[in-house]
Amino acid sequence: MPQRSVKEQLIEHAEDVFRQQGFSAASVQDLTAAAGVPKGSFYNHFASKQDLAREILLRYVRATDTSMLADEELPARERLRRHFAVQVERIMRSGMEFGCLLGTLSAESAAAGREVRAAADAGFAQWVGAVAEAIAAGQRSGEISTGIEPGRLAGILIDGFEGATLRAKSTGQTGPVDDFMAITLDRLLS
């Protein structure tokens, strides 16, 4: 098995550190210790903690599977429901108490800097676009009401999801996310 580079080790372990501690509380020492690499090696690969956070956020967004949203074999509402269920499962794997990485780093974007904010904005825009396409398909088929423009409805759903994951992070309970899935998602897509 090939040995992972120091850069890859930093990226792999820093995601957990940022998710668990937040951007501001995570030091370069915390990041290198989690990766098991010398502190001095950090700056051989990243100009700053912001640079590393931006890279992690870009990878996190690329790893977000939105393909099911375009699966025309399923009704649009089912695609949307499954998509958000997969996002819940993804967060549960890393710990609900740590929330969504996109939401966590977005909440700290003022401290994290312009590059992290831009990556978060781009991530949300990509996500909204994919959800909006599924909503538009549902509106065309008559499954979803046409009362709200697809992009706006997609933004509302994602904002609701991120708010629910933030509350779940705060309480350590899945109730807010369960309510989003059972109530908000169904009501907004009716």
Side-chain angles (χ1 to χ4, degrees):
M1 185 159 139
Q3 188 175 18
R4 290 174 302 150
S5 72
V6 169
K7 181 177 182 177
E8 289 303 315
Q9 286 177 261
L10 284 165
I11 290 168
E12 180 183 330
H13 294 283
E15 179 177 331
D16 289 338
V17 175
F18 284 137
R19 190 186 304 274
Q20 294 171 11
Q21 294 180 219
F23 177 83
S24 296
S27 68
V28 171
Q29 176 62 45
D30 295 331
L31 298 168
T32 56
V37 300
K39 183 177 178 183
S41 66
F42 180 88
Y43 293 104
N44 292 331
H45 302 285
F46 299 99
S48 64
K49 187 169 78 165
Q50 291 84 354
D51 189 31
L52 173 59
R54 180 187 151 281
E55 177 67 26
I56 289 169
L57 197 49
L58 291 172
R59 287 181 183 213
Y60 182 82
V61 169
R62 280 194 302 268
T64 302
D65 183 9
T66 59
S67 63
M68 73 184 63
L69 291 169
D71 182 355
E72 294 180 3
E73 297 293 315
L74 294 172
R77 288 179 66 169
E78 184 59 24
R79 288 185 249 166
L80 289 157
R81 193 173 288 106
R82 286 184 185 187
H83 169 73
F84 282 102
V86 166
Q87 300 317 304
V88 170
E89 290 170 13
R90 183 182 191 191
I91 293 169
M92 296 285 282
R93 280 193 304 271
S94 62
M96 184 59 75
E97 68 274 20
F98 304 122
C100 169
L101 182 66
L102 183 57
T104 296
L105 289 178
S106 293
E108 292 191 74
S109 65
R114 204 173 48 236
E115 291 178 3
V116 174
R117 184 180 306 125
D121 287 347
F124 277 122
Q126 179 181 327
W127 192 11
V128 166
V131 171
E133 287 179 27
I135 291 169
Q139 289 177 334
R140 285 190 301 274
S141 71
E143 287 179 70
I144 298 172
S145 168
T146 58
I148 303 173
E149 182 270 324
R152 188 172 184 199
L153 183 52
I156 291 167
L157 285 173
I158 290 168
D159 292 347
F161 177 78
E162 286 295 327
T165 61
L166 179 63
R167 284 196 53 227
K169 180 179 178 176
S170 171
T171 64
Q173 304 293 318
T174 62
V177 174
D178 297 339
D179 289 347
F180 170 81
M181 294 296 291
I183 301 167
T184 307
L185 193 60
D186 285 339
R187 294 276 173 116
L188 287 175
L189 295 178
S190 62

